[in-house]
Structure formats: structure tokens, C-alpha cells
Amino acid sequence: HEESLKEANKLTNPDLSAAVVKELEARKLQAENAIIEAENVVKFAEKVKVSDNNSDNQIKFEGSEINESKKVDLFNNYDYQDYFLRGWKDKNNGLIQHQLYLSLKYTSDNWRNYYSATFSNENQVDITLISSNAVGCSGSSCDYTEVMELNLSDDFLRSNMETGFSIVFNSTKSTNKITIPSDYLKGYLMVAK
């Protein structure tokens, strides 16, 4: 790279020299980013838990958990989002099913009652509520946890490997957006096959 930069600076046309240097720097940055992404993919793949239970003829996959928090109001209340991908492969027919598992924790005066999810293409789908819990209740609020899952097809995940994807979970009071980054998805799918 350094040798190429020296040669580019020898060009007599300053505009051409600047354009070549800019292109060389862009290519170097792109190569460095590709190396970082490849390392991240391997790290995510190494964190995927695999269990092979012969009693139910399935291989189970569970990606690492992503934890996020976002401030939701002026009173320093936060939403805590913990989520991961998991899947099952049927050993008899090779079919793979995937789910996005999401736990949302928040402080509020009432339940939000999450009922659906919306993809970036505006397709809205139902979600499955696994559990809900309220603790630490005071006169006007409680700490709520709603745990839900969303079925995702293998084709959907594989078609979004290069870009990752975002989903908005909808409730009667608010929405929560989560993003599965490309390197997480590639690492998970490297194992879940």
C-alpha cells in the first residue's frame, strides 16, 4: 500500500494523483473492514451453542445474546432489550426452523401488551408471548418484563446475511426496534446449517 501511495504521488497531474490516493485509501479501508467483519463472524460463530438431543431427533442452535438499553423519557426510564436467534434442525428431513427470542424490561404504569412485529418492508406478523411478569410495584408503576418469540424462516435469514435486518415490536403503548447485524447473522448461520 505504501509503495502504491508513493507511485501515485509521483503523477504529474495533481488531480489524478489525488484521485488515485483517494481510491487507494478507500480500498485499504475496505480490506481492513472485511478483515474485522470476518473476525467478528468467527467470534459470533464460536458463541453459538449446539445441542444434539437424540430423544427428539433435533439439533438445537442458540446464538449469543445481544443486550441493549434505550432511554425512553425525561425521567431516566430505560427499556432493556435482550435478544438472540435460536433454531432447530430436524434430523429426519433436514428442515431448519428459526426464532428470534426477545425479552423486554421496562418501568411503566401499565403493561404494554406487545402483539406484533413489523419488518422493514412493512410486513406485519404475529408474535408469541411466552411470559410476562411485574415486580417492584410502587404506587404508580411496576418493573415489567415481557418475553416473546418470532418465527423466522431459513430463507429469510439467509437472504439478509449481507445486510442484517431490523424488526419493530409493536405494543398498545410503544414500539421497540431491534437490529440483527450482518456479522451476527453470518456467524449464527455458519453453525446453524
Side-chain angles (χ1 to χ4, degrees):
H1 177 75
E2 295 302 321
E3 195 62 37
S4 296
L5 285 175
K6 287 179 188 176
E7 293 301 316
N9 285 320
K10 291 180 183 177
L11 295 172
T12 56
N13 181 331
D15 291 336
L16 180 58
S17 176
V20 171
V21 167
K22 183 177 178 181
E23 178 64 25
L24 288 170
E25 292 297 336
R27 288 183 185 182
K28 179 182 177 193
L29 182 61
Q30 184 178 15
E32 289 170 350
N33 287 341
I35 290 169
I36 291 169
E37 181 186 14
E39 291 171 353
N40 287 340
V41 168
V42 170
K43 286 178 187 175
F44 282 120
E46 290 171 346
K47 292 179 182 177
V48 175
K49 297 175 193 166
V50 179
S51 59
D52 189 347
N53 187 346
N54 286 328
S55 66
D56 62 3
N57 256 350
Q58 290 184 336
I59 300 171
K60 298 177 182 173
F61 312 99
E62 188 173 297
S64 59
E65 188 173 83
I66 298 172
N67 310 103
E68 297 176 334
S69 62
K70 73 171 190 172
K71 189 173 179 180
V72 292
D73 60 29
L74 297 174
F75 303 109
N76 289 323
N77 286 323
Y78 286 83
D79 280 0
Y80 298 95
Q81 305 176 144
D82 304 319
Y83 53 95
F84 60 90
L85 291 176
R86 62 184 180 184
W88 301 266
K89 181 176 182 176
D90 187 307
K91 289 192 219 177
N92 295 324
N93 59 24
L95 291 177
I96 300 177
Q97 302 172 29
H98 303 281
Q99 287 181 334
L100 175 64
Y101 178 91
L102 170 65
S103 173
L104 285 169
K105 299 171 188 152
Y106 56 91
T107 301
S108 180
D109 61 348
N110 208 340
W111 292 101
R112 290 188 185 160
N113 297 318
Y114 289 88
Y115 61 89
S116 71
T118 306
F119 292 90
S120 56
N121 62 6
E122 303 298 322
N123 285 346
Q124 190 170 352
V125 295
D126 291 333
I127 59 172
T128 303
L129 182 65
I130 298 171
S131 68
S132 54
N133 189 22
V135 297
C137 296
S138 65
S140 62
S141 68
C142 291
D143 295 328
Y144 294 100
T145 302
E146 293 188 58
V147 179
M148 60 209 80
E149 61 191 17
L150 171 66
N151 293 323
L152 300 169
S153 73
D154 195 55
D155 288 342
F156 172 80
L157 293 183
R158 294 193 185 281
S159 68
N160 285 285
M161 278 178 53
E162 295 303 319
T163 58
F165 63 92
S166 294
I167 299 175
V168 174
F169 284 81
N170 308 303
S171 80
T172 54
K173 291 187 168 193
S174 101
T175 61
N176 289 72
K177 181 179 179 178
I178 65 160
T179 299
I180 301 291
S182 173
D183 48 1
Y184 178 99
L185 190 52
K186 287 178 182 178
Y188 170 79
L189 290 173
M190 186 184 292
V191 178
K193 55 183 178 176

PDB file of all heavy atoms in Angstrom, residues 31-63:
ATOM      1  N   ALA A  31     -10.579  -3.267   2.756  1.00  0.00           N
ATOM      2  CA  ALA A  31      -9.901  -4.517   3.122  1.00  0.00           C
ATOM      3  C   ALA A  31      -9.815  -4.674   4.638  1.00  0.00           C
ATOM      4  O   ALA A  31     -10.037  -5.766   5.174  1.00  0.00           O
ATOM      5  CB  ALA A  31      -8.505  -4.554   2.503  1.00  0.00           C
ATOM      6  N   GLU A  32      -9.514  -3.583   5.339  1.00  0.00           N
ATOM      7  CA  GLU A  32      -9.446  -3.637   6.808  1.00  0.00           C
ATOM      8  C   GLU A  32     -10.814  -3.950   7.408  1.00  0.00           C
ATOM      9  O   GLU A  32     -10.918  -4.749   8.337  1.00  0.00           O
ATOM     10  CB  GLU A  32      -8.915  -2.310   7.359  1.00  0.00           C
ATOM     11  CG  GLU A  32      -7.442  -2.081   7.081  1.00  0.00           C
ATOM     12  CD  GLU A  32      -6.982  -0.663   7.417  1.00  0.00           C
ATOM     13  OE1 GLU A  32      -7.843   0.212   7.699  1.00  0.00           O
ATOM     14  OE2 GLU A  32      -5.766  -0.440   7.380  1.00  0.00           O
ATOM     15  N   ASN A  33     -11.862  -3.343   6.862  1.00  0.00           N
ATOM     16  CA  ASN A  33     -13.215  -3.612   7.344  1.00  0.00           C
ATOM     17  C   ASN A  33     -13.625  -5.057   7.085  1.00  0.00           C
ATOM     18  O   ASN A  33     -14.304  -5.674   7.917  1.00  0.00           O
ATOM     19  CB  ASN A  33     -14.227  -2.648   6.720  1.00  0.00           C
ATOM     20  CG  ASN A  33     -14.108  -1.253   7.285  1.00  0.00           C
ATOM     21  OD1 ASN A  33     -13.547  -1.045   8.357  1.00  0.00           O
ATOM     22  ND2 ASN A  33     -14.608  -0.274   6.550  1.00  0.00           N
ATOM     23  N   ALA A  34     -13.226  -5.604   5.937  1.00  0.00           N
ATOM     24  CA  ALA A  34     -13.541  -7.007   5.618  1.00  0.00           C
ATOM     25  C   ALA A  34     -12.857  -7.952   6.603  1.00  0.00           C
ATOM     26  O   ALA A  34     -13.447  -8.949   7.038  1.00  0.00           O
ATOM     27  CB  ALA A  34     -13.125  -7.328   4.189  1.00  0.00           C
ATOM     28  N   ILE A  35     -11.634  -7.627   6.990  1.00  0.00           N
ATOM     29  CA  ILE A  35     -10.908  -8.452   7.966  1.00  0.00           C
ATOM     30  C   ILE A  35     -11.601  -8.390   9.330  1.00  0.00           C
ATOM     31  O   ILE A  35     -11.811  -9.419   9.986  1.00  0.00           O
ATOM     32  CB  ILE A  35      -9.435  -8.000   8.075  1.00  0.00           C
ATOM     33  CG1 ILE A  35      -8.686  -8.359   6.794  1.00  0.00           C
ATOM     34  CG2 ILE A  35      -8.758  -8.626   9.288  1.00  0.00           C
ATOM     35  CD1 ILE A  35      -7.314  -7.722   6.680  1.00  0.00           C
ATOM     36  N   ILE A  36     -11.997  -7.190   9.752  1.00  0.00           N
ATOM     37  CA  ILE A  36     -12.687  -7.024  11.037  1.00  0.00           C
ATOM     38  C   ILE A  36     -14.012  -7.781  11.024  1.00  0.00           C
ATOM     39  O   ILE A  36     -14.345  -8.487  11.991  1.00  0.00           O
ATOM     40  CB  ILE A  36     -12.901  -5.529  11.353  1.00  0.00           C
ATOM     41  CG1 ILE A  36     -11.551  -4.861  11.640  1.00  0.00           C
ATOM     42  CG2 ILE A  36     -13.867  -5.342  12.517  1.00  0.00           C
ATOM     43  CD1 ILE A  36     -11.613  -3.347  11.695  1.00  0.00           C
ATOM     44  N   GLU A  37     -14.776  -7.668   9.933  1.00  0.00           N
ATOM     45  CA  GLU A  37     -16.052  -8.375   9.851  1.00  0.00           C
ATOM     46  C   GLU A  37     -15.838  -9.880   9.905  1.00  0.00           C
ATOM     47  O   GLU A  37     -16.553 -10.589  10.616  1.00  0.00           O
ATOM     48  CB  GLU A  37     -16.818  -8.007   8.580  1.00  0.00           C
ATOM     49  CG  GLU A  37     -18.157  -8.727   8.535  1.00  0.00           C
ATOM     50  CD  GLU A  37     -18.938  -8.552   7.245  1.00  0.00           C
ATOM     51  OE1 GLU A  37     -18.377  -8.081   6.246  1.00  0.00           O
ATOM     52  OE2 GLU A  37     -20.110  -8.930   7.255  1.00  0.00           O
ATOM     53  N   ALA A  38     -14.843 -10.388   9.188  1.00  0.00           N
ATOM     54  CA  ALA A  38     -14.568 -11.833   9.197  1.00  0.00           C
ATOM     55  C   ALA A  38     -14.219 -12.306  10.607  1.00  0.00           C
ATOM     56  O   ALA A  38     -14.663 -13.378  11.040  1.00  0.00           O
ATOM     57  CB  ALA A  38     -13.439 -12.162   8.222  1.00  0.00           C
ATOM     58  N   GLU A  39     -13.435 -11.509  11.327  1.00  0.00           N
ATOM     59  CA  GLU A  39     -13.102 -11.858  12.711  1.00  0.00           C
ATOM     60  C   GLU A  39     -14.353 -11.859  13.591  1.00  0.00           C
ATOM     61  O   GLU A  39     -14.528 -12.740  14.438  1.00  0.00           O
ATOM     62  CB  GLU A  39     -12.059 -10.883  13.273  1.00  0.00           C
ATOM     63  CG  GLU A  39     -10.695 -11.030  12.647  1.00  0.00           C
ATOM     64  CD  GLU A  39      -9.719  -9.925  13.034  1.00  0.00           C
ATOM     65  OE1 GLU A  39     -10.140  -8.944  13.693  1.00  0.00           O
ATOM     66  OE2 GLU A  39      -8.542 -10.039  12.672  1.00  0.00           O
ATOM     67  N   ASN A  40     -15.236 -10.880  13.403  1.00  0.00           N
ATOM     68  CA  ASN A  40     -16.475 -10.819  14.179  1.00  0.00           C
ATOM     69  C   ASN A  40     -17.389 -12.002  13.869  1.00  0.00           C
ATOM     70  O   ASN A  40     -18.022 -12.560  14.773  1.00  0.00           O
ATOM     71  CB  ASN A  40     -17.222  -9.508  13.922  1.00  0.00           C
ATOM     72  CG  ASN A  40     -16.560  -8.324  14.581  1.00  0.00           C
ATOM     73  OD1 ASN A  40     -15.770  -8.479  15.509  1.00  0.00           O
ATOM     74  ND2 ASN A  40     -16.855  -7.138  14.098  1.00  0.00           N
ATOM     75  N   VAL A  41     -17.461 -12.387  12.597  1.00  0.00           N
ATOM     76  CA  VAL A  41     -18.281 -13.537  12.209  1.00  0.00           C
ATOM     77  C   VAL A  41     -17.791 -14.779  12.941  1.00  0.00           C
ATOM     78  O   VAL A  41     -18.581 -15.539  13.505  1.00  0.00           O
ATOM     79  CB  VAL A  41     -18.266 -13.734  10.674  1.00  0.00           C
ATOM     80  CG1 VAL A  41     -18.854 -15.089  10.286  1.00  0.00           C
ATOM     81  CG2 VAL A  41     -19.022 -12.607   9.979  1.00  0.00           C
ATOM     82  N   VAL A  42     -16.484 -14.979  12.962  1.00  0.00           N
ATOM     83  CA  VAL A  42     -15.910 -16.148  13.648  1.00  0.00           C
ATOM     84  C   VAL A  42     -16.215 -16.080  15.146  1.00  0.00           C
ATOM     85  O   VAL A  42     -16.584 -17.090  15.761  1.00  0.00           O
ATOM     86  CB  VAL A  42     -14.393 -16.251  13.387  1.00  0.00           C
ATOM     87  CG1 VAL A  42     -13.741 -17.284  14.278  1.00  0.00           C
ATOM     88  CG2 VAL A  42     -14.130 -16.568  11.921  1.00  0.00           C
ATOM     89  N   LYS A  43     -16.098 -14.907  15.751  1.00  0.00           N
ATOM     90  CA  LYS A  43     -16.401 -14.761  17.186  1.00  0.00           C
ATOM     91  C   LYS A  43     -17.860 -15.116  17.476  1.00  0.00           C
ATOM     92  O   LYS A  43     -18.158 -15.813  18.447  1.00  0.00           O
ATOM     93  CB  LYS A  43     -16.113 -13.331  17.660  1.00  0.00           C
ATOM     94  CG  LYS A  43     -14.643 -13.018  17.805  1.00  0.00           C
ATOM     95  CD  LYS A  43     -14.439 -11.574  18.238  1.00  0.00           C
ATOM     96  CE  LYS A  43     -12.974 -11.202  18.218  1.00  0.00           C
ATOM     97  NZ  LYS A  43     -12.761  -9.777  18.510  1.00  0.00           N
ATOM     98  N   PHE A  44     -18.781 -14.622  16.631  1.00  0.00           N
ATOM     99  CA  PHE A  44     -20.195 -14.948  16.831  1.00  0.00           C
ATOM    100  C   PHE A  44     -20.446 -16.439  16.611  1.00  0.00           C
ATOM    101  O   PHE A  44     -21.226 -17.051  17.343  1.00  0.00           O
ATOM    102  CB  PHE A  44     -21.098 -14.105  15.925  1.00  0.00           C
ATOM    103  CG  PHE A  44     -21.313 -12.701  16.421  1.00  0.00           C
ATOM    104  CD1 PHE A  44     -20.935 -11.615  15.652  1.00  0.00           C
ATOM    105  CD2 PHE A  44     -21.910 -12.465  17.652  1.00  0.00           C
ATOM    106  CE1 PHE A  44     -21.137 -10.307  16.102  1.00  0.00           C
ATOM    107  CE2 PHE A  44     -22.122 -11.171  18.117  1.00  0.00           C
ATOM    108  CZ  PHE A  44     -21.736 -10.094  17.339  1.00  0.00           C
ATOM    109  N   ALA A  45     -19.802 -17.023  15.606  1.00  0.00           N
ATOM    110  CA  ALA A  45     -19.974 -18.458  15.334  1.00  0.00           C
ATOM    111  C   ALA A  45     -19.494 -19.289  16.521  1.00  0.00           C
ATOM    112  O   ALA A  45     -20.132 -20.286  16.890  1.00  0.00           O
ATOM    113  CB  ALA A  45     -19.235 -18.853  14.059  1.00  0.00           C
ATOM    114  N   GLU A  46     -18.385 -18.899  17.125  1.00  0.00           N
ATOM    115  CA  GLU A  46     -17.844 -19.635  18.274  1.00  0.00           C
ATOM    116  C   GLU A  46     -18.773 -19.588  19.482  1.00  0.00           C
ATOM    117  O   GLU A  46     -18.730 -20.473  20.336  1.00  0.00           O
ATOM    118  CB  GLU A  46     -16.467 -19.082  18.660  1.00  0.00           C
ATOM    119  CG  GLU A  46     -15.387 -19.396  17.655  1.00  0.00           C
ATOM    120  CD  GLU A  46     -14.073 -18.674  17.922  1.00  0.00           C
ATOM    121  OE1 GLU A  46     -14.060 -17.713  18.739  1.00  0.00           O
ATOM    122  OE2 GLU A  46     -13.063 -19.060  17.310  1.00  0.00           O
ATOM    123  N   LYS A  47     -19.623 -18.572  19.556  1.00  0.00           N
ATOM    124  CA  LYS A  47     -20.528 -18.415  20.700  1.00  0.00           C
ATOM    125  C   LYS A  47     -21.868 -19.134  20.506  1.00  0.00           C
ATOM    126  O   LYS A  47     -22.681 -19.168  21.431  1.00  0.00           O
ATOM    127  CB  LYS A  47     -20.775 -16.934  20.971  1.00  0.00           C
ATOM    128  CG  LYS A  47     -19.538 -16.212  21.467  1.00  0.00           C
ATOM    129  CD  LYS A  47     -19.817 -14.748  21.692  1.00  0.00           C
ATOM    130  CE  LYS A  47     -18.558 -14.019  22.145  1.00  0.00           C
ATOM    131  NZ  LYS A  47     -18.801 -12.586  22.300  1.00  0.00           N
ATOM    132  N   VAL A  48     -22.110 -19.685  19.318  1.00  0.00           N
ATOM    133  CA  VAL A  48     -23.356 -20.407  19.088  1.00  0.00           C
ATOM    134  C   VAL A  48     -23.300 -21.736  19.835  1.00  0.00           C
ATOM    135  O   VAL A  48     -22.365 -22.507  19.679  1.00  0.00           O
ATOM    136  CB  VAL A  48     -23.604 -20.655  17.574  1.00  0.00           C
ATOM    137  CG1 VAL A  48     -24.842 -21.524  17.364  1.00  0.00           C
ATOM    138  CG2 VAL A  48     -23.745 -19.330  16.832  1.00  0.00           C
ATOM    139  N   LYS A  49     -24.302 -21.962  20.681  1.00  0.00           N
ATOM    140  CA  LYS A  49     -24.393 -23.216  21.434  1.00  0.00           C
ATOM    141  C   LYS A  49     -25.159 -24.226  20.592  1.00  0.00           C
ATOM    142  O   LYS A  49     -26.223 -23.915  20.045  1.00  0.00           O
ATOM    143  CB  LYS A  49     -25.122 -22.995  22.756  1.00  0.00           C
ATOM    144  CG  LYS A  49     -24.430 -22.061  23.699  1.00  0.00           C
ATOM    145  CD  LYS A  49     -25.295 -21.809  24.927  1.00  0.00           C
ATOM    146  CE  LYS A  49     -24.752 -20.639  25.719  1.00  0.00           C
ATOM    147  NZ  LYS A  49     -25.723 -20.157  26.705  1.00  0.00           N
ATOM    148  N   VAL A  50     -24.615 -25.430  20.498  1.00  0.00           N
ATOM    149  CA  VAL A  50     -25.251 -26.502  19.738  1.00  0.00           C
ATOM    150  C   VAL A  50     -25.522 -27.661  20.683  1.00  0.00           C
ATOM    151  O   VAL A  50     -24.643 -28.070  21.435  1.00  0.00           O
ATOM    152  CB  VAL A  50     -24.347 -26.978  18.576  1.00  0.00           C
ATOM    153  CG1 VAL A  50     -25.010 -28.102  17.800  1.00  0.00           C
ATOM    154  CG2 VAL A  50     -23.993 -25.825  17.653  1.00  0.00           C
ATOM    155  N   SER A  51     -26.762 -28.168  20.654  1.00  0.00           N
ATOM    156  CA  SER A  51     -27.073 -29.368  21.427  1.00  0.00           C
ATOM    157  C   SER A  51     -27.761 -30.367  20.501  1.00  0.00           C
ATOM    158  O   SER A  51     -28.643 -30.006  19.725  1.00  0.00           O
ATOM    159  CB  SER A  51     -27.937 -29.043  22.646  1.00  0.00           C
ATOM    160  OG  SER A  51     -29.140 -28.432  22.255  1.00  0.00           O
ATOM    161  N   ASP A  52     -27.308 -31.590  20.593  1.00  0.00           N
ATOM    162  CA  ASP A  52     -27.798 -32.660  19.735  1.00  0.00           C
ATOM    163  C   ASP A  52     -28.475 -33.697  20.615  1.00  0.00           C
ATOM    164  O   ASP A  52     -27.823 -34.542  21.212  1.00  0.00           O
ATOM    165  CB  ASP A  52     -26.621 -33.288  18.970  1.00  0.00           C
ATOM    166  CG  ASP A  52     -27.074 -34.253  17.892  1.00  0.00           C
ATOM    167  OD1 ASP A  52     -28.258 -34.634  17.887  1.00  0.00           O
ATOM    168  OD2 ASP A  52     -26.238 -34.631  17.068  1.00  0.00           O
ATOM    169  N   ASN A  53     -29.791 -33.576  20.733  1.00  0.00           N
ATOM    170  CA  ASN A  53     -30.555 -34.463  21.592  1.00  0.00           C
ATOM    171  C   ASN A  53     -31.195 -35.549  20.744  1.00  0.00           C
ATOM    172  O   ASN A  53     -32.070 -35.282  19.931  1.00  0.00           O
ATOM    173  CB  ASN A  53     -31.626 -33.660  22.335  1.00  0.00           C
ATOM    174  CG  ASN A  53     -32.352 -34.478  23.361  1.00  0.00           C
ATOM    175  OD1 ASN A  53     -32.268 -35.696  23.382  1.00  0.00           O
ATOM    176  ND2 ASN A  53     -33.081 -33.795  24.229  1.00  0.00           N
ATOM    177  N   ASN A  54     -30.754 -36.774  20.925  1.00  0.00           N
ATOM    178  CA  ASN A  54     -31.282 -37.873  20.121  1.00  0.00           C
ATOM    179  C   ASN A  54     -32.719 -38.216  20.454  1.00  0.00           C
ATOM    180  O   ASN A  54     -33.428 -38.782  19.631  1.00  0.00           O
ATOM    181  CB  ASN A  54     -30.392 -39.112  20.284  1.00  0.00           C
ATOM    182  CG  ASN A  54     -29.086 -38.970  19.532  1.00  0.00           C
ATOM    183  OD1 ASN A  54     -29.045 -38.326  18.488  1.00  0.00           O
ATOM    184  ND2 ASN A  54     -28.024 -39.537  20.062  1.00  0.00           N
ATOM    185  N   SER A  55     -33.184 -37.876  21.648  1.00  0.00           N
ATOM    186  CA  SER A  55     -34.543 -38.244  22.037  1.00  0.00           C
ATOM    187  C   SER A  55     -35.606 -37.519  21.211  1.00  0.00           C
ATOM    188  O   SER A  55     -36.682 -38.062  20.984  1.00  0.00           O
ATOM    189  CB  SER A  55     -34.769 -37.991  23.522  1.00  0.00           C
ATOM    190  OG  SER A  55     -34.708 -36.616  23.802  1.00  0.00           O
ATOM    191  N   ASP A  56     -35.327 -36.313  20.756  1.00  0.00           N
ATOM    192  CA  ASP A  56     -36.325 -35.604  19.953  1.00  0.00           C
ATOM    193  C   ASP A  56     -35.900 -35.440  18.490  1.00  0.00           C
ATOM    194  O   ASP A  56     -36.567 -34.752  17.727  1.00  0.00           O
ATOM    195  CB  ASP A  56     -36.669 -34.254  20.571  1.00  0.00           C
ATOM    196  CG  ASP A  56     -35.490 -33.302  20.644  1.00  0.00           C
ATOM    197  OD1 ASP A  56     -34.403 -33.655  20.160  1.00  0.00           O
ATOM    198  OD2 ASP A  56     -35.658 -32.202  21.190  1.00  0.00           O
ATOM    199  N   ASN A  57     -34.815 -36.093  18.100  1.00  0.00           N
ATOM    200  CA  ASN A  57     -34.350 -36.079  16.701  1.00  0.00           C
ATOM    201  C   ASN A  57     -34.110 -34.675  16.162  1.00  0.00           C
ATOM    202  O   ASN A  57     -34.384 -34.394  15.010  1.00  0.00           O
ATOM    203  CB  ASN A  57     -35.332 -36.815  15.798  1.00  0.00           C
ATOM    204  CG  ASN A  57     -34.811 -38.190  15.426  1.00  0.00           C
ATOM    205  OD1 ASN A  57     -33.647 -38.508  15.686  1.00  0.00           O
ATOM    206  ND2 ASN A  57     -35.650 -38.992  14.823  1.00  0.00           N
ATOM    207  N   GLN A  58     -33.623 -33.768  17.026  1.00  0.00           N
ATOM    208  CA  GLN A  58     -33.353 -32.399  16.596  1.00  0.00           C
ATOM    209  C   GLN A  58     -31.971 -31.960  17.062  1.00  0.00           C
ATOM    210  O   GLN A  58     -31.499 -32.366  18.119  1.00  0.00           O
ATOM    211  CB  GLN A  58     -34.379 -31.432  17.188  1.00  0.00           C
ATOM    212  CG  GLN A  58     -35.753 -31.563  16.624  1.00  0.00           C
ATOM    213  CD  GLN A  58     -36.683 -30.507  17.175  1.00  0.00           C
ATOM    214  OE1 GLN A  58     -36.467 -29.966  18.257  1.00  0.00           O
ATOM    215  NE2 GLN A  58     -37.725 -30.195  16.429  1.00  0.00           N
ATOM    216  N   ILE A  59     -31.378 -31.107  16.243  1.00  0.00           N
ATOM    217  CA  ILE A  59     -30.167 -30.398  16.633  1.00  0.00           C
ATOM    218  C   ILE A  59     -30.612 -28.969  16.937  1.00  0.00           C
ATOM    219  O   ILE A  59     -31.300 -28.345  16.125  1.00  0.00           O
ATOM    220  CB  ILE A  59     -29.110 -30.408  15.510  1.00  0.00           C
ATOM    221  CG1 ILE A  59     -28.728 -31.840  15.160  1.00  0.00           C
ATOM    222  CG2 ILE A  59     -27.891 -29.600  15.923  1.00  0.00           C
ATOM    223  CD1 ILE A  59     -27.862 -31.961  13.913  1.00  0.00           C
ATOM    224  N   LYS A  60     -30.231 -28.456  18.099  1.00  0.00           N
ATOM    225  CA  LYS A  60     -30.656 -27.116  18.502  1.00  0.00           C
ATOM    226  C   LYS A  60     -29.468 -26.155  18.461  1.00  0.00           C
ATOM    227  O   LYS A  60     -28.358 -26.524  18.828  1.00  0.00           O
ATOM    228  CB  LYS A  60     -31.263 -27.151  19.906  1.00  0.00           C
ATOM    229  CG  LYS A  60     -32.505 -28.009  19.971  1.00  0.00           C
ATOM    230  CD  LYS A  60     -33.070 -28.109  21.346  1.00  0.00           C
ATOM    231  CE  LYS A  60     -34.287 -29.040  21.322  1.00  0.00           C
ATOM    232  NZ  LYS A  60     -34.804 -29.320  22.630  1.00  0.00           N
ATOM    233  N   PHE A  61     -29.743 -24.937  18.013  1.00  0.00           N
ATOM    234  CA  PHE A  61     -28.735 -23.881  17.913  1.00  0.00           C
ATOM    235  C   PHE A  61     -29.214 -22.677  18.720  1.00  0.00           C
ATOM    236  O   PHE A  61     -30.390 -22.343  18.687  1.00  0.00           O
ATOM    237  CB  PHE A  61     -28.559 -23.430  16.458  1.00  0.00           C
ATOM    238  CG  PHE A  61     -28.392 -24.552  15.485  1.00  0.00           C
ATOM    239  CD1 PHE A  61     -29.468 -25.010  14.731  1.00  0.00           C
ATOM    240  CD2 PHE A  61     -27.160 -25.163  15.308  1.00  0.00           C
ATOM    241  CE1 PHE A  61     -29.322 -26.036  13.832  1.00  0.00           C
ATOM    242  CE2 PHE A  61     -27.001 -26.196  14.412  1.00  0.00           C
ATOM    243  CZ  PHE A  61     -28.088 -26.633  13.671  1.00  0.00           C
ATOM    244  N   GLU A  62     -28.287 -22.022  19.409  1.00  0.00           N
ATOM    245  CA  GLU A  62     -28.653 -20.800  20.128  1.00  0.00           C
ATOM    246  C   GLU A  62     -27.516 -19.793  20.011  1.00  0.00           C
ATOM    247  O   GLU A  62     -26.406 -20.048  20.477  1.00  0.00           O
ATOM    248  CB  GLU A  62     -28.929 -21.111  21.598  1.00  0.00           C
ATOM    249  CG  GLU A  62     -29.496 -19.926  22.344  1.00  0.00           C
ATOM    250  CD  GLU A  62     -29.915 -20.288  23.755  1.00  0.00           C
ATOM    251  OE1 GLU A  62     -30.826 -21.123  23.903  1.00  0.00           O
ATOM    252  OE2 GLU A  62     -29.308 -19.736  24.687  1.00  0.00           O
ATOM    253  N   GLY A  63     -27.803 -18.661  19.359  1.00  0.00           N
ATOM    254  CA  GLY A  63     -26.809 -17.601  19.202  1.00  0.00           C
ATOM    255  C   GLY A  63     -26.581 -16.851  20.498  1.00  0.00           C
ATOM    256  O   GLY A  63     -27.352 -16.974  21.458  1.00  0.00           O
TER     257      GLY A  63
END
